[in-house]
Amino acid sequence: MAIVIEQPDAPRSRKGAQWEKRAWIFMRISGVILIFLIIGHLLVNLVLPERGVKAIDFAFVAGKWASPFWQVYDGLILWLALIHGTNGMRTLVNDYSEREWLRKALNVTLWVVAAALILLGTLVITTFDPCIDPNVHNYLPDLVCKG
Amino acid sequence: MANRPAGTLYRGKLGMWSWVLHRITGVGIYFFLLVHILDTALVRVSPEAYNSVVASYKTTIVGLAEIGLVGAILFHGFNGIRVMLIDFWRKGAKYQNQMFWVVLVIWVILMAGFVPRQLMHIFGA
């Protein structure tokens, strides 16, 4: 199939241009927010605790998600980072894929993966139940478990 | 060649290499993010499932790889600010080279704080 090179000065459709502009703005806004969120995430999980990465286990996560603050915090990272990353990958796919069907297939895959993981991650954060650990009262003594 | 182009914001020299590095670090962070969402999702399965997978993060090899991950994140983040300054600051394009070195200095300072701490955690008791 012949390769069609678009005229560089050919105007985009108005809708397409709007969408690209919004994506461009989103990358910058989410980028700034993510710098703060992720540096905080690294400090709280890897740097500040006495044993760093070695202190992370189910009890550590249960302790954090007992507070709505960390649920919202982690949910924000989930949404912003995944959309930011997916849109960045879309930029690379658009730059480097030469076959149109492959470009479309890769982009559809990217957004399907993003939607699936945002759904999964959001459900995990909102429906998390520390009571599935029989030893939960060793580290969350005030927690009330049903049944 | 008598008249080699001196390089522009995006061709040759630092402007281009910072752009290449931004893309490579971005892709690396993206794939880590996919894995990290999946491993964290195991807290919804059982404490044993989550603990056994997180144990791999505590091994020496992954602990060292994590230094690479944090390095990639810090570069991508601060170079991202440089990109925004090029976009929005009137003198951004003029000082993009100098700003690259500023990014690098900030990166070295933060890594100098993180690496010893992480090594302590990996190799400590």
Side-chain angles (χ1 to χ4, degrees):
Chain A
M1 208 180 80
I3 295 169
V4 180
I5 299 172
E6 290 172 45
Q7 286 295 322
D9 60 351
R12 279 175 190 274
S13 72
R14 190 151 182 82
K15 213 175 127 208
Q18 279 293 345
W19 201 81
E20 284 301 332
K21 184 184 164 192
R22 286 193 192 119
W24 186 92
I25 292 169
F26 172 81
M27 289 309 264
R28 279 146 184 80
I29 295 173
S30 61
V32 173
I33 300 171
L34 280 166
I35 291 174
F36 291 100
L37 289 179
I38 290 179
I39 288 181
H41 182 75
L42 293 172
L43 282 174
V44 168
N45 298 302
L46 287 185
V47 177
L48 298 178
E50 188 78 33
R51 292 165 60 240
V53 64
K54 289 193 176 167
I56 299 175
D57 58 6
F58 184 88
F60 181 86
V61 179
K64 276 184 85 181
W65 285 354
S67 139
F69 174 83
W70 289 114
Q71 286 184 302
V72 172
Y73 190 104
D74 289 350
L76 260 178
I77 296 187
L78 170 75
W79 281 70
L80 291 178
L82 202 47
I83 298 173
H84 184 104
T86 301
N87 192 56
M89 291 294 286
R90 184 183 69 94
T91 307
L92 299 201
V93 165
N94 287 346
D95 275 0
Y96 300 125
S97 61
E98 293 179 4
R99 277 159 293 184
E100 182 61 12
W101 67 266
L102 182 63
R103 187 184 75 81
K104 286 211 169 108
L106 287 171
N107 280 336
V108 169
T109 308
L110 281 173
W111 290 111
V112 169
V113 168
L117 286 181
I118 283 182
L119 182 68
L120 173 72
T122 307
L123 282 174
V124 166
I125 295 173
T126 51
T127 70
F128 175 68
D129 179 15
C131 293
I132 61 173
D133 183 0
N135 303 315
V136 67
H137 290 106
N138 294 343
Y139 48 88
L140 290 176
D142 297 332
L143 185 76
V144 180
C145 290
K146 283 177 209 155
Chain B
M1 275 198 290
N3 274 319
R4 269 185 80 213
T8 59
L9 178 55
Y10 282 120
R11 187 179 62 194
K13 303 198 173 175
L14 283 183
M16 187 185 89
W17 293 112
S18 65
W19 171 85
V20 170
L21 213 52
H22 201 78
R23 293 199 152 195
I24 293 173
T25 51
V27 172
I29 297 163
Y30 171 79
F31 282 107
F32 169 74
L33 179 64
L34 301 188
V35 174
H36 190 45
I37 293 168
L38 292 173
D39 65 54
T40 305
L42 290 174
V43 294
R44 198 66 194 86
V45 178
S46 74
E48 294 77 24
Y50 181 74
N51 290 344
S52 71
V53 167
V54 166
S56 59
Y57 279 96
K58 304 174 188 180
T59 59
T60 307
I61 184 89
V62 180
L64 292 173
E66 197 134 42
I67 293 174
L69 173 71
V70 170
I73 288 170
L74 291 176
F75 174 79
H76 194 88
F78 287 99
N79 191 58
I81 293 181
R82 172 178 161 272
V83 170
M84 278 182 269
L85 285 170
I86 295 171
D87 288 337
F88 296 121
W89 178 33
R90 200 186 327 174
K91 295 181 178 165
K94 185 177 168 193
Y95 291 115
Q96 61 91 10
N97 251 324
Q98 287 90 327
M99 286 197 291
F100 176 81
W101 295 113
V102 173
V103 168
L104 222 58
V105 168
I106 295 172
W107 184 87
V108 168
I109 292 170
L110 291 176
M111 288 303 276
F114 175 72
V115 173
R117 185 78 179 147
Q118 175 75 357
L119 291 176
M120 247 170 61
H121 290 146
I122 303 171
F123 295 108

